[in-house]
Structure formats: C-alpha cells, structure tokens
Amino acid sequence: MPPAAPIVVDLLSDTLTTPSDAMREAMAHAPVGDDVFGEDPTVRELEQRVAALLGHEDGLFTPSGSMANQLGIWLHVQPGQELVADSLAHVLRAELGAAATFSGVTSRTWISERGLLRAQDPLSLMITDGGAYQVNTALVVLENTHNFGGGTVQPIEEIRAVREGTLEQGVALHLDGARLWNAHVATGVPFTAYGTEFDTVSVCLSKGLGAPVGSVLVGSADRMARARIQRKRLGGGMRQVGILAAAGLFALDHNIDRLADDHARARRMADAAHAAAPASIDPATVQTNIVILDVAAAGWSAGDFTAAAGAHGIRTYAVSRRLVRMVWHLDVSDAATDTAIEVVRALLREGSPR
Ligand SMILES: *Cc1c(COP(=O)(O)O)cnc(C)c1O
C-alpha cells in the first residue's frame, strides 16, 4: 500500500460539497417556524417550488434522498407485493434493504448497460395477474441520472414508453431523481416533461447543487399528506428546518446552470483517459458529472488504482473490482481537474506495477 497522502482533488462524490458563504448567509436569515405543525414558511416555499418545477401538486422536504425514495415507495405498495428496478439502482443497492424493511416488499431486477433504460426491460418483468401464486408488481422505480451506471441520462422516449405500459397495467412509477438536475442540464428536456411522467419524484439538494442537507419528494396533494404522516413515524419530522430549506432554495437559484461546468470537466477527464487507455472508457457515454473507468482494461484492479491515485492526492471510489468512479461538483475547479487528469493519465499509461 502506498503511504496516505493529503487529498488534493476529491472526486469521491458530489455529496462532499460544503455550503458557500452566500448560501450560509441565506440560511442565517431564513424565516422559520415549527415544520411539524406546518408552520415553517421557508420549508413550505421550497416544497411548493420543487413541486411546481416538476409539475406536481405538492412536495415534502426530507432529511435524505433515501427517505424521500422510501416514502415514495411506501406510498405505492402493500406488504407482500414487489417493486422492480434495474440491478444497479440506488434504491436497491444503497438504501440498505429499506424497501423490504419499511414497506414489506420484495424486489426483482433487470440488467442494464450503464444503467441505461430500455422500456421493455421493466415492462417485461412486471406481473399484474399473479393470482395466488406469483408476486404482484406494484411499482417500477427508475433512476435519472443513473448513479452507479455512470451518470447516464435516461432517454425521455423510453421513460414515456414505461409510463404508458405501467399506466395500462395499473402499476405505479417512481423516479429516483437525485440528479435529475444534471439530466435537465445535459439534455435541455424541461423539468416538467420529466416530472409529469411519474406518480412521485425524489430530488436531492445535497449532491451537485451544493446544499448541506435535504431532498424533496413530490406527488399529488393526497399522497404528500400521507407521506407527511409516515415521515413523522420514521422520525423525519423536523422543527425549525427552514434554515436547511433556505440552502435548498439558494441552490435552486444559483447552482443548476453551473452543472454544465461539471459535465464539461468530467468529459475532459473521459477524453484524457480514453487517449491513455482506449478500452477504459468510451467518452461518448459521459453525459453528466460522473466518470466510471474500467481500470482493469489497463491492467489494474479498482482497489489498487484507487490506492495509487490516492497516493497522489486524488480520491476516487472503487465501485466494483474493475470499475473506478469519479464525480465532479462545484468544489472541483478546472485546475483541480487538470491535476487529476495528469495522475489518471499516468496511471493508465503505466499500468499496474503488480
Ligand atoms: C445520493 C443518492 C440518493 C440519496 O442518498 P442519501 O444519501 O440518502 O441522501 C438516492 N438516489 C441516488 C441515485 C443517489 O445518488
């Protein structure tokens, strides 16, 4: 193992962003009240603003994206039913069995390439006439952009085809839109066009948007009223939390358009990696702020590569034995990107010392 070096460029995750001085200023002056009594004006403003942005009736502020997703799931299922999602979905891979724990559902998955949605995959998995011997599919969950798939943007036509097929069969549709901001910036597809294809949508304020905490779930007023009760049951009823909602409002005002810079920097890394080791990545697949390198193509294990990059001060994340993830966000500059590119390029060219 190379000796630990100070982190110079941190590409571990876009959750690492810290609130800017201007964001902290907005938080400090936010009007607040007791949100469990529905009396925090800043929280209500955020909930209503995100709901309107996505073409839904109402919203619900939650402490995490996991809670927003799990409330979304809970709204649509009964214990003993199932949800279907792709095998790399955050709701199944990174929420620690919450759908089984809190909603009593089993899950089945389809295999995707880079998380990319093909409508037939979920539609052909669904079972809605299972009778007394097959589990009934109550919900399909999609993810846009797709995190472990590498920031993959889902084609709007495929989303629409899933919507049509699920509506026909009475199956609900939830979007894990933690990075829907990035999809919008990459494609120009309006937020409402994405949002209205789903019964519920969750979005994260604490990823590339740069807020320290918070997600919002949107849906019908009825569903949000039910989710509000379940949120309290789970311990997610917070009091003068407008301080945090203010950070979210600031992020919506200031930090959406700038995601294009993150996308450009990620693409620069992808181009450089491709030039050094062509099989490590197809730069055309890098549409947003995430780059996933197949370092095995250059003779590395993901663990060794991550350690070697770390010894040069570049923090990355081994997502599997061959794949290393790098994520751009508002605290990674052009200059930092150049530094990271130099290290990654050299490691890919040299190959593993083992
Ligand atoms: C980060 C993330 C979430 C939510 O994560 P929390 O850490 O619970 O806020 C949900 N879905 C995706 C795709 C994510 O990347």
Side-chain angles (χ1 to χ4, degrees):
M1 279 286 281
I7 298 169
V8 180
V9 183
D10 206 332
L11 301 173
L12 185 71
S13 173
D14 48 7
T15 58
L16 298 174
T17 55
T18 54
S20 63
D21 288 346
M23 182 180 276
R24 287 170 194 255
E25 195 66 27
M27 295 168 75
H29 297 109
V32 296
D34 189 327
D35 184 52
V36 172
F37 292 113
E39 292 177 359
D40 190 303
T42 310
V43 172
R44 283 308 287 154
E45 185 184 342
L46 175 67
E47 290 173 339
Q48 285 163 359
R49 182 151 159 209
V50 175
L53 187 67
L54 295 168
H56 284 261
E57 278 177 358
D58 205 356
L60 185 71
F61 187 56
T62 61
S64 70
S66 297
M67 191 186 284
N69 277 334
Q70 293 304 323
L71 289 173
I73 290 169
W74 176 82
L75 285 170
H76 303 301
V77 301
Q78 296 292 325
Q81 296 183 319
E82 70 176 7
L83 70 81
V84 299
D86 92 278
S87 70
L88 298 173
H90 192 281
V91 293
L92 297 182
R93 254 196 108 183
E95 296 181 14
L96 308 182
T101 305
F102 299 120
S103 297
V105 290
T106 52
S107 309
R108 279 187 306 131
T109 57
W110 70 89
I111 305 285
S112 66
E113 201 179 315
R114 297 181 297 104
L116 185 65
L117 175 67
R118 295 175 309 180
Q120 268 320 302
D121 289 337
L123 294 180
S124 59
L125 260 188
M126 293 172 0
I127 296 172
T128 50
D129 56 357
Y133 54 93
Q134 274 189 313
V135 179
N136 223 51
T137 309
L139 173 67
V140 173
V141 178
L142 304 182
E143 188 172 313
N144 195 17
T145 67
H146 200 297
N147 177 354
F148 295 119
T152 307
V153 176
Q154 308 300 6
I156 188 75
E157 311 77 47
E158 297 296 313
I159 295 171
R160 289 190 175 126
V162 174
R163 180 56 164 173
E164 222 169 275
T166 50
L167 274 178
E168 259 168 35
Q169 303 223 42
V171 171
L173 191 56
H174 172 77
L175 174 65
D176 177 352
R179 295 185 185 79
L180 191 60
W181 324 108
N182 298 82
H184 162 75
V185 166
T187 60
V189 172
F191 284 116
T192 46
Y194 283 127
T196 52
E197 298 298 331
F198 296 87
D199 295 300
T200 47
V201 180
S202 69
V203 289
C204 280
L205 303 161
S206 63
K207 301 271 167 81
L209 286 201
V213 178
S215 281
V216 179
L217 176 71
V218 303
S220 68
D222 272 4
R223 286 193 174 112
M224 292 307 101
R226 286 178 59 214
R228 196 171 289 278
I229 294 168
Q230 181 70 352
R231 183 187 67 177
K232 183 71 170 69
R233 206 173 267 141
L234 294 176
M238 301 182 288
R239 302 294 179 172
Q240 286 72 25
V241 75
I243 285 178
L244 297 180
L249 286 166
F250 182 93
L252 294 178
D253 284 336
H254 298 96
N255 292 345
I256 295 180
D257 292 343
R258 66 148 306 285
L259 293 172
D261 298 342
D262 299 341
H263 298 180
R265 289 167 184 147
R267 178 58 92 88
R268 274 206 300 121
M269 170 63 83
D271 287 338
H274 179 75
S280 67
I281 191 160
D282 173 359
T285 63
V286 176
Q287 300 164 283
T288 60
N289 65 324
I290 301 178
V291 172
I292 293 187
L293 292 181
D294 180 356
V295 294
W300 289 89
S301 74
D304 285 349
F305 186 93
T306 295
H312 289 92
I314 313 299
R315 190 155 69 144
T316 60
Y317 176 61
V319 281
S320 71
R321 264 182 263 173
R322 6 180 2 123
L323 303 179
V324 170
R325 188 186 74 171
M326 296 175 278
V327 187
W328 272 260
H329 54 74
L330 79 181
D331 293 336
V332 181
S333 65
D334 268 327
T337 302
D338 291 337
T339 306
I341 284 174
E342 282 314 308
V343 171
V344 167
R345 195 186 347 235
L347 293 177
L348 288 175
R349 282 214 185 111
E350 289 157 16
S352 173
R354 295 201 186 172

